[in-house]
């Protein structure tokens, strides 16, 4: 057993030759001074092809210090808002702009309404809150994220309709000189936070993208930075007991042995939702050039999640050790953010890829835009079959047996997953009202023995979406869409949220099918009844 415990952080690797290989890789990385060079901002660590990108993406290593000036600015704005009776924070952001603040506020036990969806029902629920007490944080690194722009337009219209000066209730976080900053200045929005442009979105937890919404909501972001600052010297040290080197060595050694999946389970970490944040960081950083590490977030360490994970997976317990865990990682939130960022970037060096680009993310966005711009819009074709509240559609070359019913259809689809491949379950639904859809992941994995991921659409497009197109091409993709009981127009745009949501699903399906991956879409004409029908169906599915 290899164990590193540095007060704020602990990394424990189980016994066996694999653990020895992880330690040997950590020794090698220490000898190559990788941690120190990374902290110093050396862009050559990932090879010539990655150098230009890495040169403008390494400022995250110093954020525990460089983000401190934000603290006073956040506290002052929060004080102003509270003096006006504004204490409800709604965050409009995707991927790195929403995952970190959601973890920070959940760990702190303070409320934050997160909009990382195009589901009209979920957005309508956020609008139904007390607007007189609401501030909207619009968070987008590029300043052109379609989901976030839609939320901004909808809330701006709602504020004005309620007799509230919208500009006084909108706070922006974006990169300098982005289209969003330009629009925000022109509209006179309450406050514009300019984030560090030399930090990529998935490494931005300790920038304004993580700190502003969490701090306005009431989380102790000063403590968060202090936790990270305490861990920074340890993570920058070129020594074997650097937990980042050991963790990177564990991930690299596992992949070399064929363990291309990393199964995460929270085990009393005290950091709810951390695995979802790590999922984006790892998948988007490593899933490219036909390789990578696919995070699989599961409900706990008990069987079958860990016990039956298989030799193509590394099991990671977050929090307390567990006998079935290959690796156990624990620590404070600020330290954990920095640990996983270091470990992922260093694992990228071991994998021989650029951990700072996302070359395959744009394809789904382009496909969705083309559907929105087409004369027919995102119009669905004739369903392959109808089973009560469930309609089935197939995209691409994969076809089920002729005349198959719903049970046979899903069974045949699972059978199409390659050996040691994975099943990706993607729900373009309301993650509050349709939360029971997430149970399907556990049931499919349990009954089929296939590694199964779950993602809320379009949120996962800003996370595991990169891996699906750029990583190991052994996935099969099961989409779930649903009829919206109510729709919301997007002011100033020729589409509604429901139209955008369907276009995103169809666009991503097209891109996946172009890569010759099996894609099955199940459309629910009644969401509640449809989820119940699917839950019944997957009970009988096996492999």
């Amino acid at each position: 057993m290899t164990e590193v415990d540095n007060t704020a952080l602990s990394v424990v690797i189980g016994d066996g030759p694999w653990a020895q290989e992880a330690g040997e890789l950590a020794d090698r990385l220490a000898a190559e001074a990788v941690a120190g060079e990374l902290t110093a901002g050396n862009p050559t660590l990932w090879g010539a092809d990655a150098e230009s990108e890495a040169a403008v993406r390494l400022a995250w290593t110093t954020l525990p210090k460089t983000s401190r000036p934000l603290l006073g600015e956040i506290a002052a704005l929060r004080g102003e808002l509270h003096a006006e009776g504004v204490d409800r924070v709604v965050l409009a952001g995707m991927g790195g702009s929403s995952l970190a603040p959601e973890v920070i506020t959940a760990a702190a036990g303070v409320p934050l309404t997160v909009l990382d969806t195009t589901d009209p029902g979920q957005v309508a629920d956020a609008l139904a809150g007390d607007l007189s007490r609401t501030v909207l944080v619009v968070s987008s690194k590029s300043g052109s994220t379609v989901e976030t722009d839609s939320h901004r337009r909808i809330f701006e219209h709602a504020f004005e309709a309620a007799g509230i000066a919208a500009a006084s209730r909108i706070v922006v976080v974006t990169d300098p000189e982005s289209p969003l900053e330009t629009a925000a200045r022109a509209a006179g929005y309450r406050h514009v936070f300019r984030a560090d442009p030399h930090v990529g979105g998935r490494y931005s937890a300790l920038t304004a993208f993580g700190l502003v919404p969490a701090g306005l909501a009431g989380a102790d972001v000063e403590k968060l930075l202090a936790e990270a600052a305490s861990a920074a010297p340890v993570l920058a040290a070129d020594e074997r007991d650097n937990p980042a080197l050991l963790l990177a060595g564990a991930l690299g050694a596992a992949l070399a042995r064929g363990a291309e999946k990393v199964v995460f389970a929270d085990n009393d970490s005290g950091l709810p939702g951390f695995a979802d944040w790590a999922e984006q960081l790892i998948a988007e950083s490593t899933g490219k050039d036909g390789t990578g590490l696919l995070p699989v977030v599961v409900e706990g360490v008990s069987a079958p999640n860990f016990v039956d994970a298989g030799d193509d997976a590394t099991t990671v317990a977050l929090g307390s050790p567990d006998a079935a865990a290959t690796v156990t990682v624990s620590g404070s939130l600020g330290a954990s953010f920095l640990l996983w960022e270091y470990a992922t970037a260093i694992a990228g060096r071991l994998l021989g890829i650029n951990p700072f680009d996302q070359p395959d993310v744009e394809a789904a966005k382009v496909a969705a835009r083309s559907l929105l711009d087409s004369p027919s819009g995102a119009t669905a074709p004739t369903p392959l079959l109808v089973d009560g509240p469930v309609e089935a559609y197939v995209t691409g070359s994969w076809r089920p047996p002729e005349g198959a019913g719903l049970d046979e259809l899903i069974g045949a689809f699972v059978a199409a997953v390659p050996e040691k491949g994975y099943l990706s379950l993607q729900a373009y639904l309301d993650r509050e009202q349709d939360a029971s859809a997430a149970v399907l992941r556990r049931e499919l994995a349990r009954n089929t023995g296939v590694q199964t991921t779950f993602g809320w659409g379009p949120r996962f497009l800003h996370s595991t979406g990169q891996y699906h197109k750029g990583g190991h091409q052994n996935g099969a993709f099961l989409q779930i869409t649903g009829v919206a009981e109510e729709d919301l127009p997007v002011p100033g745009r020729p589409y509604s949220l429901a139209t955008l949501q369907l276009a995103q699903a169809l666009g991503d399906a097209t891109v996946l099918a172009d890569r010759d991956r099996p894609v099955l879409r199940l459309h629910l004409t009644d969401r509640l009844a449809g989820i119940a029908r699917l839950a019944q169906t997957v009970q009988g599915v096996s492999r």
Side-chain angles (χ1 to χ4, degrees), residues 295-437:
V296 182
V297 179
V298 300
E299 297 78 15
V301 297
S302 59
N305 293 333
F306 270 15
V307 175
D308 301 330
D311 60 5
D312 63 336
T314 304
T315 50
V316 178
L318 299 174
S320 302
D322 184 87
T326 315
V327 181
T328 300
V329 182
S330 62
S332 64
L333 181 54
S336 295
F337 278 143
L338 206 55
L339 165 65
W340 282 97
E341 288 168 351
Y342 264 89
T344 300
I346 295 169
R349 174 180 168 89
L350 296 175
L351 270 62
I353 51 89
N354 175 2
F356 305 112
D357 67 349
Q358 47 283 330
D360 301 291
V361 166
E362 188 65 22
K365 298 178 183 179
V366 171
R369 284 196 294 266
S370 69
L371 286 169
L372 290 172
D373 293 341
S374 69
S376 58
T379 302
T382 302
L384 185 70
L385 70 83
V386 177
D387 183 313
V390 181
E391 298 175 348
Y393 301 86
V394 174
T395 303
S397 59
W398 178 80
R399 287 292 182 274
E402 193 71 28
L406 183 62
D407 296 42
E408 296 171 294
L409 174 64
I410 295 178
F413 186 74
V414 171
V417 178
E419 186 69 24
K420 295 191 176 181
Y422 68 98
L423 177 63
S424 175
L425 184 59
Q426 306 167 349
Y428 290 82
L429 301 171
D430 182 333
R431 72 178 173 116
E432 303 295 336
Q433 299 301 320
D434 303 321
S436 58

Side-chain angles (χ1 to χ4, degrees), residues 173-343:
V173 184
T174 190
D175 274 5
E177 301 180 5
S178 75
L180 179 56
E181 181 185 12
T182 301
R185 303 280 187 201
Y189 289 163
R190 180 69 175 255
H191 201 98
V192 176
F193 289 88
R194 303 176 97 206
D196 190 332
H198 295 149
V199 178
R202 56 189 175 273
Y203 291 83
S204 67
L206 301 177
T207 70
F209 288 108
L211 301 180
V212 170
L216 292 180
D220 188 346
V221 290
E222 183 174 9
K223 178 185 176 185
L224 186 77
L225 289 181
E227 292 169 349
S230 71
V234 173
L235 298 174
D238 288 307
E239 301 173 359
R240 181 179 183 170
D241 64 356
N242 178 336
L245 297 185
L246 185 60
L247 182 53
L251 296 174
L255 185 59
R257 282 177 168 261
E260 64 191 48
K261 304 173 187 73
V262 184
V263 181
F264 280 95
D266 189 276
N267 199 32
D268 301 319
S269 71
L271 310 178
F274 188 86
D276 292 327
W277 174 82
E279 178 183 54
Q280 185 207 13
L281 175 70
I282 295 169
E284 204 167 66
S285 295
T286 70
K288 57 201 70 169
D289 300 335
T291 188
L293 296 161
L294 175 66
V296 182
V297 179
V298 300
E299 297 78 15
V301 297
S302 59
N305 293 333
F306 270 15
V307 175
D308 301 330
D311 60 5
D312 63 336
T314 304
T315 50
V316 178
L318 299 174
S320 302
D322 184 87
T326 315
V327 181
T328 300
V329 182
S330 62
S332 64
L333 181 54
S336 295
F337 278 143
L338 206 55
L339 165 65
W340 282 97
E341 288 168 351
Y342 264 89

Side-chain angles (χ1 to χ4, degrees), residues 486-521:
E486 57 179 321
D487 199 359
L488 286 173
V490 179
R493 291 289 184 259
Y495 49 79
S496 67
L497 284 184
T499 302
L500 174 58
Q501 185 181 43
L502 182 58
Q504 290 175 310
L506 297 180
D508 194 46
T510 299
V511 173
L512 292 167
D514 287 346
R515 285 161 169 74
D516 201 28
R517 304 315 315 147
V519 182
L520 171 63
R521 182 168 68 89

